[in-house]
Amino acid sequence: MSSETILKPHLKNTLRSGDILFDKRNQKIMNFKNLWAGLTKGLLHESGHEASNRYRILRRNIFILMILITIIPLIIMAVIYQHEYHSSIKQEIVIPLQTLTNKTKHTFELFFEERLSVIRFIASSYSFEELSNQKTMNRIFNVLMNEYCCLVDLGLINNKGIQLSYAGPYNFLGKDYSEQKWFQEVVVKGIYISNVFMGYRKFPHVAVAVLRRTEEGPPLILRATIDTSKFDDIIASMGLNPESDAFLISRSGIIQTSSRFYGEIMDHCPLSFPRGNYEAIVTEATDPRGREILVACAPFSSAEYSLVLVKPKSDVLHTWHTLRSRMILIFISSVALIILVVFKLTDTLVKRVKEADEKRELTYREFQHTHKLSSIGRLAAGVAHEINNPMAIINEKAGLMKDLVAYDSNFQNKEKFLGLTDSILKSVERCSAITHRLLGFARRMEVQLVELDLNELVQETLGFLEKEALYRNIELILHLADNLPRISSDRGQMQQVFLNIINNALAALEDEGEIVIASWEEDSDTVGVSIRDNGVGMSEETLKSIFDPFFSTKQENGTGLGLAITYGIVKKMGGDIKVKSKQGEGSIFTVYLPKKAKIGPGE
Amino acid sequence: MENLKILLVDDEEEFVTTLAERLELRGLQARAALNGEDALHMIEADTPQIVILDVMMPGLGGLEVLKRIKARHSQIPVILLTGRGSTKEGIKGMQLGAFDYLMKPLDIEELIKKMQEAIKSQP
């Protein structure tokens, strides 16, 4: 009743300027659409690009973080381990090297000491006169030759440096040594051990000399020459491997025993290293051949020699190197494993997050959608009910006008009048069809479940559209399952569902396109029907809003209710509807319907 | 069919009076009642041969009126008028003894046809 008064001015308006009102209505719908699109976009989804960017950043951050917290401790551990191990293994190597060098040095010193003490003993046990006697000298020399190896000769020299007696292979009798350095040294120090020198036969020798001061007369100097072949024996007894080397050098760096790698006797040693004081010192160096070596050097206390032991680093550090390369291998493979695991893990994690986000957004959108549908449904139902009554009045008034004219045989312009009333009645019919549809949208219509064959229903529905398809040269291809089980559903509403979808497909198609409709049994409870077109397709934005009420891409011609109603019906029947679309390639709508409709809540 | 006494019950005066006039033009005797109480009184005063009853009325609702008519005059056929989409009420009415239901806005020819059917189906 009140609605009538409200609507009356509009009705007047309609009579006068129906077209303008129609335009306004359209505009309002458009505005509403824009508003809705803006709102949902702001509220619900960032654009796809932004979202994917966000997940990419998330993935990157998690990946970096996980890599850092796993690999940094590993690196620290590896570095510490390497350092510790390196220093300890060095100790392990250096100590035996030192020991060996010291031991050998002692052997040498013992050797010298032995020779010296014998000579000292002779010097003390015999008098100057006895020793000056060539015969006695020969006898002593013979005894010594038997008891001690390596003696080459023995001789007595007086304090003037003149050789007084001599036993040995050469004839040095009467030779004057007073100008020689060793003589002066032995006079001052009382003892002398020479560097190795090549004798007359180019044979390495070492000379030792001892001075004894006597109570009765001038001091006597006993000089002996020692063959250095014994040195080689001592060095050989060190049991060195072929890559190692050991030799004696003099204080000035002259090699005293033959060396494997660093020159012959009397050559200058090409290596430089600190000599140390008394104990053996181990240093690292590079030899002229470019080998990394460890040099152990132990100077003698009695003679001006140093024992040098050279070992190539690669040799001594062999175990260390194998271990290190193994460690590096383990390190690299564990890093690779970590990266792989972290990558997979991050991937899964981000995927889960993304899925959860999407699910949440979907739920939210569905909620919004349901909410919107229900409020619009209520509004539509209210409007439809209110409009019904004035429509009924218009219908009767126009009907009466028509009757009056029809029963009056003398009425002027009878035909024209009848035409006018007919057009009013037709408009009323149209209006009531709209209210009917609105109510259908509100789903106030009763659902009548009947057993129906979906294939048959689809074919029936196509019957409405075949003409258009034929006219536009659109091919309709059916792939319907032969033994599709019958389903229990509402025939009229199902027809509306397929009509809406196929209509949409037709609208999306250019002339001479094709629509493929397939049906199948999805599972024991569900059947599926898909409607595919190769038309213009939809953008992602459109796809998101496609089931929203008042959303339409058909500009002037669409109410934006078709797919919303379709969605509502399918959902109400306990089914589901899915859309896939690609711009320029077409769309596919898939409807899943339960074999036995599970009627959901209304609206 | 001529001189059939019809009672139209609807709260929309404009609708019900116009409809009555149209029916009279067709040679039928149609009276209008604007609410349920009036309708029941008019039935008692001058029993019609058929009642056309709107379901949605303020005060005494259409279904209630139907029940009362059927309680006293079960022989009178009643045709219900419902709004579009309100088939639920129509079906309920038929369960209560209404002959049929029609949806507003209605087609007068269809109404007459239904009334004929209703009269014919009378014993």
Side-chain angles (χ1 to χ4, degrees), chain B residues 34-67:
Chain B
L34 294 179
N35 57 55
E37 285 87 353
D38 283 0
L40 291 173
H41 286 305
M42 285 165 83
I43 290 169
E44 291 308 314
D46 184 3
T47 313
Q49 285 162 281
I50 189 161
V51 176
I52 313 296
L53 178 61
D54 185 28
V55 177
M56 296 271 279
M57 284 193 296
L60 210 53
L63 292 181
E64 187 55 37
V65 176
L66 172 68
K67 269 190 225 163

Side-chain angles (χ1 to χ4, degrees), chain B residues 64-75 96:
Chain B
E64 187 55 37
V65 176
L66 172 68
K67 269 190 225 163
R68 296 198 189 175
I69 293 171
K70 283 287 153 187
R72 288 181 63 87
H73 308 277
S74 60
Q75 81 285 358
L96 290 172

Side-chain angles (χ1 to χ4, degrees), chain A residues 23 26 85 102 105 132 161 233 245 253 289 307 356 363 373 392 399 423 488 546 572 577:
Chain A
D23 277 349
N26 245 355
Y85 194 80
N102 279 333
K105 184 195 82 173
S132 350
D233 293 346
D245 199 358
R289 303 199 304 175
L307 174 65
T363 317
L373 276 185
S423 96
S488 157
I546 191 168
K572 188 173 181 178
I577 181 163

Side-chain angles (χ1 to χ4, degrees), chain A residues 4 385 388-389 391-393 395-397 399-400 403 407 429 432 439 446, chain B residues 12 14-15 18-19 21-22 25-26 83-88 104-106:
Chain A
E4 191 188 306
H385 277 298
N388 255 340
N389 277 333
M391 275 300 145
I393 294 167
N395 189 49
E396 294 316 313
K397 297 282 180 194
L400 180 57
D403 290 351
Y407 287 97
E429 191 48 46
S432 47
L439 284 164
E446 294 308 301
Chain B
E12 283 285 353
E14 293 269 10
F15 171 77
T18 315
L19 182 60
E21 208 180 329
R22 292 185 75 189
L25 271 176
R26 283 167 175 74
R84 288 267 186 173
S86 307
T87 35
K88 209 190 254 174
K104 288 205 289 190
L106 48 77

